[in-house]
Amino acid sequence: AQSVTQLGSHVSVSEGALVLLRCNYSSSVPPYLFWYVQYPNQGLQLLLKYTSAATLVKGINGFEAEFKKSETSFHLTKPSAHMSDAAEYFCAVSDQGSSNTGKLIFGQGTTLQVKP
Amino acid sequence: ETGVTQSPTHLIKTRGQQVTLRCSSQSGHNTVSWYQQALGQGPQFIFQYYREEENGRGNFPPRFSGLQFPNYSSELNVNALELDDSALYLCASSGTGDEQFFGPGTRLTVL
């Protein structure tokens, strides 16, 4: 069965600093992995996805993530945080391995705070 | 191209009542998934519909039921509401090979 663990429920960075949000996964099949962002009182927006192509995935708003099979990780990074990045971030794995329209299994989420 | 819409935005019910939540899929999408997001938690998969048929279900009791209509809009029905059903309910639509596009959600409060 697939699962996702997000390490750190709250992360606080200064504006301009590196953002690193950690995600580890467990999957019995080659995974499809996703990062979503959720702003207050809104739905989820896809930041980026890994679908077994390049291991370094670039997404929107300057975010990227690297798939590391040996570490079963898919950490999200951004070189320089902006105030507008403050939000809730969710890592997810698709239960169908090779599909991105299967059931999504989400982590608990990480709240990113950006200090001026 | 219109996005995924959900109604109502907010809803307050009392224990034991029934509720229907609605979702309008993005144009051209034939798959809809419903998720429950409790406060401070990640979304949990309830079920998915593909071309009006249930196509997978999460660990939710039968009092959670759904429908998908020929125009691919969808409903989530919850009977005999419990306090723990208070949550944000998200629907997501997708087409063949597409990502899941999420709506803004319906916030349900059960008193």
Side-chain angles (χ1 to χ4, degrees):
Chain A
Q2 283 81 5
S3 66
V4 167
T5 302
Q6 291 184 240
L7 303 174
S9 58
H10 286 84
V11 170
S12 182
V13 301
S14 298
E15 192 174 19
L18 171 72
V19 175
L20 171 60
L21 304 183
R22 299 177 187 273
C23 172
N24 287 90
Y25 71 91
S26 172
S27 178
S28 56
V29 297
Y32 268 27
L33 294 161
F34 307 82
W35 275 99
Y36 285 87
V37 62
Q38 185 176 36
Y39 297 100
N41 301 312
Q42 294 188 28
L44 302 175
Q45 180 183 12
L46 181 67
L47 282 174
L48 49 80
K49 61 183 179 183
Y50 167 75
T51 57
S52 74
T55 56
L56 182 63
V57 181
K58 294 187 183 298
I60 63 171
N61 301 338
F63 285 95
E64 62 182 38
E66 186 172 9
F67 173 72
K68 291 187 177 181
K69 184 178 179 180
S70 61
E71 299 177 8
T72 61
S73 68
F74 190 57
H75 301 331
L76 182 71
T77 60
K78 182 174 180 177
S80 177
H82 295 163
M83 297 297 292
S84 60
D85 294 327
E88 188 81 11
Y89 291 80
F90 293 96
C91 182
V93 63
S94 172
D95 77 325
Q96 292 187 11
S98 60
S99 166
N100 62 359
T101 57
K103 161 187 171 183
L104 291 174
I105 299 155
F106 288 88
Q108 293 285 81
T110 298
T111 301
L112 176 64
Q113 179 187 24
V114 182
K115 296 178 290 186
Chain B
E1 180 179 279
T2 58
V4 179
T5 59
Q6 293 186 243
S7 62
T9 306
H10 295 88
L11 203 52
I12 299 175
K13 293 284 189 178
T14 57
R15 274 187 304 173
Q17 285 190 311
Q18 178 266 341
V19 69
T20 298
L21 310 181
R22 294 179 174 83
C23 172
S24 179
S25 297
Q26 189 160 315
S27 178
H29 286 180
N30 54 18
T31 302
V32 65
S33 303
W34 283 91
Y35 294 83
Q36 180 197 66
Q37 185 179 16
L39 199 60
Q41 305 291 319
Q44 301 253 326
F45 175 77
I46 303 175
F47 42 58
Q48 183 182 84
Y49 279 80
Y50 171 68
R51 293 186 175 179
E52 304 176 57
E53 297 287 330
E54 189 177 288
N55 184 41
R57 188 179 182 90
N59 189 26
F60 281 81
R63 60 190 184 84
F64 285 78
S65 63
L67 281 173
Q68 188 182 30
F69 300 100
N71 66 354
Y72 301 134
S73 64
S74 176
E75 287 183 355
L76 164 65
N77 298 289
V78 187
N79 293 322
L81 284 167
E82 301 177 359
L83 296 179
D84 285 348
D85 295 334
S86 295
L88 180 68
Y89 288 85
L90 298 163
C91 78
S93 74
S94 51
T96 303
D98 286 341
E99 70 181 73
Q100 296 190 36
F101 292 84
F102 283 82
T106 293
R107 174 75 61 188
L108 172 65
T109 302
V110 182
L111 302 176

mmCIF file of all heavy atoms in Angstrom, chain B residues 67-111:
data_model
loop_
_atom_site.group_PDB
_atom_site.id
_atom_site.type_symbol
_atom_site.label_atom_id
_atom_site.label_comp_id
_atom_site.label_asym_id
_atom_site.label_seq_id
_atom_site.Cartn_x
_atom_site.Cartn_y
_atom_site.Cartn_z
ATOM 1 N N LEU B 67 -23.036 10.349 -6.855
ATOM 2 C CA LEU B 67 -23.627 10.206 -8.181
ATOM 3 C C LEU B 67 -22.810 11.021 -9.158
ATOM 4 O O LEU B 67 -22.270 12.074 -8.798
ATOM 5 C CB LEU B 67 -25.062 10.743 -8.201
ATOM 6 C CG LEU B 67 -26.198 9.895 -7.654
ATOM 7 C CD1 LEU B 67 -27.483 10.715 -7.628
ATOM 8 C CD2 LEU B 67 -26.374 8.626 -8.466
ATOM 9 N N GLN B 68 -22.735 10.526 -10.385
ATOM 10 C CA GLN B 68 -22.179 11.342 -11.462
ATOM 11 C C GLN B 68 -23.214 11.355 -12.580
ATOM 12 O O GLN B 68 -23.790 10.307 -12.922
ATOM 13 C CB GLN B 68 -20.854 10.779 -11.969
ATOM 14 C CG GLN B 68 -20.161 11.712 -12.958
ATOM 15 C CD GLN B 68 -18.861 11.137 -13.501
ATOM 16 O OE1 GLN B 68 -18.718 9.916 -13.604
ATOM 17 N NE2 GLN B 68 -17.924 11.993 -13.858
ATOM 18 N N PHE B 69 -23.443 12.495 -13.146
ATOM 19 C CA PHE B 69 -24.500 12.669 -14.140
ATOM 20 C C PHE B 69 -23.910 12.651 -15.551
ATOM 21 O O PHE B 69 -22.693 12.768 -15.730
ATOM 22 C CB PHE B 69 -25.239 13.976 -13.862
ATOM 23 C CG PHE B 69 -25.877 13.997 -12.498
ATOM 24 C CD1 PHE B 69 -25.272 14.659 -11.443
ATOM 25 C CD2 PHE B 69 -27.075 13.324 -12.261
ATOM 26 C CE1 PHE B 69 -25.845 14.665 -10.171
ATOM 27 C CE2 PHE B 69 -27.658 13.322 -10.997
ATOM 28 C CZ PHE B 69 -27.034 13.982 -9.960
ATOM 29 N N PRO B 70 -24.773 12.488 -16.571
ATOM 30 C CA PRO B 70 -24.282 12.420 -17.958
ATOM 31 C C PRO B 70 -23.431 13.631 -18.359
ATOM 32 O O PRO B 70 -22.566 13.517 -19.227
ATOM 33 C CB PRO B 70 -25.571 12.333 -18.775
ATOM 34 C CG PRO B 70 -26.539 11.664 -17.866
ATOM 35 C CD PRO B 70 -26.220 12.183 -16.494
ATOM 36 N N ASN B 71 -23.679 14.768 -17.753
ATOM 37 C CA ASN B 71 -22.849 15.941 -18.083
ATOM 38 C C ASN B 71 -21.594 15.979 -17.214
ATOM 39 O O ASN B 71 -20.850 16.957 -17.244
ATOM 40 C CB ASN B 71 -23.645 17.239 -17.910
ATOM 41 C CG ASN B 71 -24.015 17.504 -16.468
ATOM 42 O OD1 ASN B 71 -23.777 16.674 -15.575
ATOM 43 N ND2 ASN B 71 -24.620 18.659 -16.219
ATOM 44 N N TYR B 72 -21.358 14.900 -16.457
ATOM 45 C CA TYR B 72 -20.175 14.692 -15.622
ATOM 46 C C TYR B 72 -20.144 15.549 -14.371
ATOM 47 O O TYR B 72 -19.137 15.528 -13.649
ATOM 48 C CB TYR B 72 -18.886 14.818 -16.418
ATOM 49 C CG TYR B 72 -18.814 13.826 -17.559
ATOM 50 C CD1 TYR B 72 -18.406 14.225 -18.829
ATOM 51 C CD2 TYR B 72 -19.201 12.502 -17.367
ATOM 52 C CE1 TYR B 72 -18.361 13.316 -19.884
ATOM 53 C CE2 TYR B 72 -19.165 11.595 -18.412
ATOM 54 C CZ TYR B 72 -18.746 12.001 -19.672
ATOM 55 O OH TYR B 72 -18.703 11.104 -20.705
ATOM 56 N N SER B 73 -21.230 16.279 -14.089
ATOM 57 C CA SER B 73 -21.315 16.904 -12.781
ATOM 58 C C SER B 73 -21.549 15.805 -11.756
ATOM 59 O O SER B 73 -21.884 14.666 -12.108
ATOM 60 C CB SER B 73 -22.432 17.945 -12.742
ATOM 61 O OG SER B 73 -23.680 17.317 -12.927
ATOM 62 N N SER B 74 -21.386 16.125 -10.493
ATOM 63 C CA SER B 74 -21.393 15.080 -9.483
ATOM 64 C C SER B 74 -22.004 15.570 -8.181
ATOM 65 O O SER B 74 -22.045 16.779 -7.910
ATOM 66 C CB SER B 74 -19.946 14.620 -9.234
ATOM 67 O OG SER B 74 -19.869 13.681 -8.197
ATOM 68 N N GLU B 75 -22.490 14.632 -7.386
ATOM 69 C CA GLU B 75 -22.999 14.906 -6.044
ATOM 70 C C GLU B 75 -22.352 13.975 -5.045
ATOM 71 O O GLU B 75 -22.050 12.816 -5.362
ATOM 72 C CB GLU B 75 -24.518 14.678 -5.980
ATOM 73 C CG GLU B 75 -25.361 15.711 -6.661
ATOM 74 C CD GLU B 75 -26.844 15.431 -6.484
ATOM 75 O OE1 GLU B 75 -27.207 14.376 -5.915
ATOM 76 O OE2 GLU B 75 -27.635 16.269 -6.933
ATOM 77 N N LEU B 76 -22.155 14.510 -3.860
ATOM 78 C CA LEU B 76 -21.755 13.702 -2.703
ATOM 79 C C LEU B 76 -22.882 13.821 -1.693
ATOM 80 O O LEU B 76 -23.268 14.929 -1.326
ATOM 81 C CB LEU B 76 -20.444 14.227 -2.115
ATOM 82 C CG LEU B 76 -20.078 13.751 -0.706
ATOM 83 C CD1 LEU B 76 -19.831 12.252 -0.688
ATOM 84 C CD2 LEU B 76 -18.844 14.495 -0.198
ATOM 85 N N ASN B 77 -23.421 12.692 -1.276
ATOM 86 C CA ASN B 77 -24.483 12.662 -0.288
ATOM 87 C C ASN B 77 -23.966 12.002 0.988
ATOM 88 O O ASN B 77 -23.291 10.975 0.931
ATOM 89 C CB ASN B 77 -25.675 11.858 -0.810
ATOM 90 C CG ASN B 77 -26.282 12.481 -2.048
ATOM 91 O OD1 ASN B 77 -26.913 13.520 -1.973
ATOM 92 N ND2 ASN B 77 -26.056 11.855 -3.189
ATOM 93 N N VAL B 78 -24.296 12.622 2.108
ATOM 94 C CA VAL B 78 -23.928 12.041 3.397
ATOM 95 C C VAL B 78 -25.185 11.968 4.247
ATOM 96 O O VAL B 78 -25.846 12.982 4.490
ATOM 97 C CB VAL B 78 -22.856 12.862 4.126
ATOM 98 C CG1 VAL B 78 -22.383 12.116 5.380
ATOM 99 C CG2 VAL B 78 -21.676 13.157 3.218
ATOM 100 N N ASN B 79 -25.516 10.754 4.675
ATOM 101 C CA ASN B 79 -26.685 10.534 5.533
ATOM 102 C C ASN B 79 -26.260 10.451 6.996
ATOM 103 O O ASN B 79 -25.086 10.187 7.300
ATOM 104 C CB ASN B 79 -27.385 9.231 5.143
ATOM 105 C CG ASN B 79 -28.002 9.317 3.760
ATOM 106 O OD1 ASN B 79 -28.542 10.352 3.376
ATOM 107 N ND2 ASN B 79 -27.904 8.238 3.011
ATOM 108 N N ALA B 80 -27.246 10.656 7.874
ATOM 109 C CA ALA B 80 -27.017 10.481 9.313
ATOM 110 C C ALA B 80 -25.724 11.167 9.754
ATOM 111 O O ALA B 80 -24.807 10.529 10.280
ATOM 112 C CB ALA B 80 -26.992 8.989 9.659
ATOM 113 N N LEU B 81 -25.660 12.461 9.531
ATOM 114 C CA LEU B 81 -24.433 13.207 9.808
ATOM 115 C C LEU B 81 -23.964 13.049 11.246
ATOM 116 O O LEU B 81 -24.757 13.026 12.195
ATOM 117 C CB LEU B 81 -24.653 14.690 9.515
ATOM 118 C CG LEU B 81 -24.654 15.076 8.037
ATOM 119 C CD1 LEU B 81 -25.195 16.486 7.842
ATOM 120 C CD2 LEU B 81 -23.246 14.955 7.452
ATOM 121 N N GLU B 82 -22.633 12.946 11.383
ATOM 122 C CA GLU B 82 -21.987 12.859 12.686
ATOM 123 C C GLU B 82 -21.081 14.081 12.840
ATOM 124 O O GLU B 82 -20.680 14.709 11.863
ATOM 125 C CB GLU B 82 -21.183 11.568 12.785
ATOM 126 C CG GLU B 82 -22.022 10.325 12.604
ATOM 127 C CD GLU B 82 -21.196 9.044 12.638
ATOM 128 O OE1 GLU B 82 -19.953 9.127 12.790
ATOM 129 O OE2 GLU B 82 -21.797 7.955 12.510
ATOM 130 N N LEU B 83 -20.735 14.380 14.103
ATOM 131 C CA LEU B 83 -19.883 15.541 14.359
ATOM 132 C C LEU B 83 -18.562 15.442 13.590
ATOM 133 O O LEU B 83 -18.053 16.450 13.091
ATOM 134 C CB LEU B 83 -19.604 15.670 15.856
ATOM 135 C CG LEU B 83 -20.807 15.950 16.749
ATOM 136 C CD1 LEU B 83 -20.371 16.038 18.215
ATOM 137 C CD2 LEU B 83 -21.525 17.234 16.334
ATOM 138 N N ASP B 84 -18.019 14.218 13.506
ATOM 139 C CA ASP B 84 -16.729 14.027 12.826
ATOM 140 C C ASP B 84 -16.799 14.221 11.313
ATOM 141 O O ASP B 84 -15.764 14.200 10.645
ATOM 142 C CB ASP B 84 -16.186 12.618 13.109
ATOM 143 C CG ASP B 84 -15.623 12.508 14.516
ATOM 144 O OD1 ASP B 84 -15.453 13.565 15.165
ATOM 145 O OD2 ASP B 84 -15.367 11.380 14.967
ATOM 146 N N ASP B 85 -18.002 14.399 10.781
ATOM 147 C CA ASP B 85 -18.125 14.672 9.346
ATOM 148 C C ASP B 85 -17.810 16.128 9.032
ATOM 149 O O ASP B 85 -17.715 16.502 7.857
ATOM 150 C CB ASP B 85 -19.543 14.343 8.862
ATOM 151 C CG ASP B 85 -19.876 12.871 8.976
ATOM 152 O OD1 ASP B 85 -18.932 12.040 8.945
ATOM 153 O OD2 ASP B 85 -21.067 12.537 9.110
ATOM 154 N N SER B 86 -17.653 16.945 10.051
ATOM 155 C CA SER B 86 -17.270 18.347 9.837
ATOM 156 C C SER B 86 -15.907 18.390 9.160
ATOM 157 O O SER B 86 -14.919 17.857 9.692
ATOM 158 C CB SER B 86 -17.212 19.093 11.170
ATOM 159 O OG SER B 86 -18.481 19.183 11.762
ATOM 160 N N ALA B 87 -15.853 19.014 7.994
ATOM 161 C CA ALA B 87 -14.621 19.007 7.207
ATOM 162 C C ALA B 87 -14.812 19.862 5.968
ATOM 163 O O ALA B 87 -15.916 20.342 5.689
ATOM 164 C CB ALA B 87 -14.247 17.581 6.790
ATOM 165 N N LEU B 88 -13.713 20.024 5.241
ATOM 166 C CA LEU B 88 -13.767 20.620 3.903
ATOM 167 C C LEU B 88 -13.872 19.468 2.911
ATOM 168 O O LEU B 88 -13.070 18.534 2.949
ATOM 169 C CB LEU B 88 -12.495 21.424 3.638
ATOM 170 C CG LEU B 88 -12.390 22.128 2.278
ATOM 171 C CD1 LEU B 88 -13.413 23.265 2.169
ATOM 172 C CD2 LEU B 88 -10.967 22.665 2.065
ATOM 173 N N TYR B 89 -14.863 19.509 2.046
ATOM 174 C CA TYR B 89 -15.055 18.461 1.052
ATOM 175 C C TYR B 89 -14.619 18.998 -0.309
ATOM 176 O O TYR B 89 -15.136 20.010 -0.788
ATOM 177 C CB TYR B 89 -16.513 17.991 1.036
ATOM 178 C CG TYR B 89 -16.830 17.184 2.272
ATOM 179 C CD1 TYR B 89 -17.214 17.816 3.446
ATOM 180 C CD2 TYR B 89 -16.689 15.795 2.281
ATOM 181 C CE1 TYR B 89 -17.459 17.087 4.606
ATOM 182 C CE2 TYR B 89 -16.943 15.057 3.427
ATOM 183 C CZ TYR B 89 -17.319 15.715 4.585
ATOM 184 O OH TYR B 89 -17.548 14.983 5.723
ATOM 185 N N LEU B 90 -13.672 18.302 -0.897
ATOM 186 C CA LEU B 90 -13.077 18.725 -2.157
ATOM 187 C C LEU B 90 -13.451 17.754 -3.258
ATOM 188 O O LEU B 90 -13.427 16.541 -3.055
ATOM 189 C CB LEU B 90 -11.557 18.756 -2.043
ATOM 190 C CG LEU B 90 -10.964 19.735 -1.025
ATOM 191 C CD1 LEU B 90 -9.519 19.370 -0.723
ATOM 192 C CD2 LEU B 90 -11.050 21.149 -1.557
ATOM 193 N N CYS B 91 -13.801 18.283 -4.419
ATOM 194 C CA CYS B 91 -13.919 17.415 -5.570
ATOM 195 C C CYS B 91 -12.824 17.781 -6.564
ATOM 196 O O CYS B 91 -12.314 18.908 -6.571
ATOM 197 C CB CYS B 91 -15.295 17.474 -6.218
ATOM 198 S SG CYS B 91 -15.585 18.907 -7.245
ATOM 199 N N ALA B 92 -12.442 16.801 -7.348
ATOM 200 C CA ALA B 92 -11.396 16.986 -8.344
ATOM 201 C C ALA B 92 -11.819 16.288 -9.621
ATOM 202 O O ALA B 92 -12.279 15.151 -9.585
ATOM 203 C CB ALA B 92 -10.068 16.410 -7.843
ATOM 204 N N SER B 93 -11.680 16.969 -10.733
ATOM 205 C CA SER B 93 -12.037 16.340 -12.001
ATOM 206 C C SER B 93 -10.791 16.104 -12.839
ATOM 207 O O SER B 93 -9.771 16.802 -12.681
ATOM 208 C CB SER B 93 -13.055 17.184 -12.767
ATOM 209 O OG SER B 93 -12.457 18.338 -13.341
ATOM 210 N N SER B 94 -10.880 15.111 -13.707
ATOM 211 C CA SER B 94 -9.745 14.784 -14.564
ATOM 212 C C SER B 94 -10.269 14.130 -15.842
ATOM 213 O O SER B 94 -11.333 13.537 -15.863
ATOM 214 C CB SER B 94 -8.755 13.858 -13.853
ATOM 215 O OG SER B 94 -9.411 12.738 -13.312
ATOM 216 N N GLY B 95 -9.445 14.273 -16.881
ATOM 217 C CA GLY B 95 -9.748 13.592 -18.125
ATOM 218 C C GLY B 95 -8.723 12.501 -18.343
ATOM 219 O O GLY B 95 -7.912 12.219 -17.478
ATOM 220 N N THR B 96 -8.701 11.896 -19.481
ATOM 221 C CA THR B 96 -7.761 10.810 -19.739
ATOM 222 C C THR B 96 -6.334 11.338 -19.702
ATOM 223 O O THR B 96 -5.961 12.209 -20.484
ATOM 224 C CB THR B 96 -8.043 10.181 -21.115
ATOM 225 O OG1 THR B 96 -9.394 9.737 -21.133
ATOM 226 C CG2 THR B 96 -7.110 9.020 -21.377
ATOM 227 N N GLY B 97 -5.546 10.825 -18.800
ATOM 228 C CA GLY B 97 -4.149 11.213 -18.715
ATOM 229 C C GLY B 97 -3.894 12.571 -18.127
ATOM 230 O O GLY B 97 -2.761 13.012 -18.035
ATOM 231 N N ASP B 98 -4.969 13.281 -17.717
ATOM 232 C CA ASP B 98 -4.778 14.623 -17.167
ATOM 233 C C ASP B 98 -4.549 14.567 -15.665
ATOM 234 O O ASP B 98 -4.852 13.604 -15.008
ATOM 235 C CB ASP B 98 -6.013 15.486 -17.431
ATOM 236 C CG ASP B 98 -6.112 15.921 -18.877
ATOM 237 O OD1 ASP B 98 -5.090 15.873 -19.580
ATOM 238 O OD2 ASP B 98 -7.204 16.303 -19.298
ATOM 239 N N GLU B 99 -4.046 15.640 -15.141
ATOM 240 C CA GLU B 99 -3.945 15.773 -13.693
ATOM 241 C C GLU B 99 -5.339 15.985 -13.127
ATOM 242 O O GLU B 99 -6.297 16.239 -13.848
ATOM 243 C CB GLU B 99 -3.060 16.957 -13.343
ATOM 244 C CG GLU B 99 -3.713 18.310 -13.664
ATOM 245 C CD GLU B 99 -2.837 19.495 -13.336
ATOM 246 O OE1 GLU B 99 -1.870 19.726 -14.060
ATOM 247 O OE2 GLU B 99 -3.163 20.173 -12.350
ATOM 248 N N GLN B 100 -5.447 15.874 -11.810
ATOM 249 C CA GLN B 100 -6.704 16.150 -11.123
ATOM 250 C C GLN B 100 -6.760 17.632 -10.790
ATOM 251 O O GLN B 100 -5.840 18.183 -10.187
ATOM 252 C CB GLN B 100 -6.800 15.304 -9.853
ATOM 253 C CG GLN B 100 -6.847 13.814 -10.149
ATOM 254 C CD GLN B 100 -7.184 12.969 -8.938
ATOM 255 O OE1 GLN B 100 -7.972 13.349 -8.082
ATOM 256 N NE2 GLN B 100 -6.593 11.779 -8.874
ATOM 257 N N PHE B 101 -7.838 18.270 -11.201
ATOM 258 C CA PHE B 101 -8.046 19.692 -10.945
ATOM 259 C C PHE B 101 -9.065 19.824 -9.813
ATOM 260 O O PHE B 101 -10.184 19.331 -9.928
ATOM 261 C CB PHE B 101 -8.547 20.400 -12.198
ATOM 262 C CG PHE B 101 -7.525 20.477 -13.290
ATOM 263 C CD1 PHE B 101 -7.348 19.431 -14.169
ATOM 264 C CD2 PHE B 101 -6.726 21.604 -13.433
ATOM 265 C CE1 PHE B 101 -6.402 19.488 -15.185
ATOM 266 C CE2 PHE B 101 -5.784 21.676 -14.439
ATOM 267 C CZ PHE B 101 -5.611 20.616 -15.318
ATOM 268 N N PHE B 102 -8.671 20.510 -8.766
ATOM 269 C CA PHE B 102 -9.498 20.601 -7.574
ATOM 270 C C PHE B 102 -10.374 21.846 -7.590
ATOM 271 O O PHE B 102 -9.964 22.917 -8.043
ATOM 272 C CB PHE B 102 -8.620 20.629 -6.319
ATOM 273 C CG PHE B 102 -8.082 19.281 -5.941
ATOM 274 C CD1 PHE B 102 -6.953 18.767 -6.570
ATOM 275 C CD2 PHE B 102 -8.705 18.519 -4.964
ATOM 276 C CE1 PHE B 102 -6.457 17.518 -6.227
ATOM 277 C CE2 PHE B 102 -8.215 17.270 -4.617
ATOM 278 C CZ PHE B 102 -7.090 16.770 -5.251
ATOM 279 N N GLY B 103 -11.575 21.681 -7.036
ATOM 280 C CA GLY B 103 -12.447 22.807 -6.786
ATOM 281 C C GLY B 103 -12.080 23.475 -5.477
ATOM 282 O O GLY B 103 -11.223 22.993 -4.735
ATOM 283 N N PRO B 104 -12.769 24.578 -5.143
ATOM 284 C CA PRO B 104 -12.443 25.325 -3.923
ATOM 285 C C PRO B 104 -12.953 24.670 -2.647
ATOM 286 O O PRO B 104 -12.544 25.044 -1.550
ATOM 287 C CB PRO B 104 -13.136 26.666 -4.146
ATOM 288 C CG PRO B 104 -14.261 26.349 -5.065
ATOM 289 C CD PRO B 104 -13.784 25.241 -5.953
ATOM 290 N N GLY B 105 -13.841 23.685 -2.787
ATOM 291 C CA GLY B 105 -14.320 22.971 -1.615
ATOM 292 C C GLY B 105 -15.607 23.505 -1.033
ATOM 293 O O GLY B 105 -16.003 24.648 -1.281
ATOM 294 N N THR B 106 -16.266 22.640 -0.260
ATOM 295 C CA THR B 106 -17.436 23.005 0.542
ATOM 296 C C THR B 106 -17.081 22.752 1.999
ATOM 297 O O THR B 106 -16.687 21.637 2.362
ATOM 298 C CB THR B 106 -18.674 22.177 0.166
ATOM 299 O OG1 THR B 106 -19.088 22.502 -1.152
ATOM 300 C CG2 THR B 106 -19.810 22.437 1.149
ATOM 301 N N ARG B 107 -17.228 23.787 2.813
ATOM 302 C CA ARG B 107 -16.950 23.640 4.248
ATOM 303 C C ARG B 107 -18.230 23.217 4.942
ATOM 304 O O ARG B 107 -19.194 23.966 4.973
ATOM 305 C CB ARG B 107 -16.461 24.971 4.815
ATOM 306 C CG ARG B 107 -16.281 24.993 6.323
ATOM 307 C CD ARG B 107 -15.057 24.256 6.776
ATOM 308 N NE ARG B 107 -13.815 24.808 6.255
ATOM 309 C CZ ARG B 107 -12.631 24.226 6.406
ATOM 310 N NH1 ARG B 107 -12.539 23.078 7.044
ATOM 311 N NH2 ARG B 107 -11.555 24.795 5.918
ATOM 312 N N LEU B 108 -18.244 22.000 5.490
ATOM 313 C CA LEU B 108 -19.414 21.460 6.196
ATOM 314 C C LEU B 108 -19.148 21.491 7.692
ATOM 315 O O LEU B 108 -18.120 20.987 8.153
ATOM 316 C CB LEU B 108 -19.697 20.033 5.745
ATOM 317 C CG LEU B 108 -20.778 19.280 6.528
ATOM 318 C CD1 LEU B 108 -22.142 19.935 6.340
ATOM 319 C CD2 LEU B 108 -20.829 17.813 6.116
ATOM 320 N N THR B 109 -20.072 22.091 8.418
ATOM 321 C CA THR B 109 -20.011 22.092 9.876
ATOM 322 C C THR B 109 -21.214 21.329 10.405
ATOM 323 O O THR B 109 -22.352 21.638 10.028
ATOM 324 C CB THR B 109 -20.014 23.521 10.443
ATOM 325 O OG1 THR B 109 -18.897 24.238 9.901
ATOM 326 C CG2 THR B 109 -19.921 23.507 11.962
ATOM 327 N N VAL B 110 -20.963 20.337 11.240
ATOM 328 C CA VAL B 110 -22.041 19.547 11.842
ATOM 329 C C VAL B 110 -22.092 19.877 13.331
ATOM 330 O O VAL B 110 -21.097 19.723 14.046
ATOM 331 C CB VAL B 110 -21.827 18.039 11.626
ATOM 332 C CG1 VAL B 110 -22.987 17.258 12.227
ATOM 333 C CG2 VAL B 110 -21.675 17.727 10.148
ATOM 334 N N LEU B 111 -23.251 20.364 13.775
ATOM 335 C CA LEU B 111 -23.411 20.764 15.180
ATOM 336 C C LEU B 111 -24.211 19.718 15.957
ATOM 337 O O LEU B 111 -25.039 18.998 15.377
ATOM 338 C CB LEU B 111 -24.116 22.117 15.254
ATOM 339 C CG LEU B 111 -23.404 23.275 14.517
ATOM 340 C CD1 LEU B 111 -24.265 24.517 14.588
ATOM 341 C CD2 LEU B 111 -22.028 23.508 15.102
#
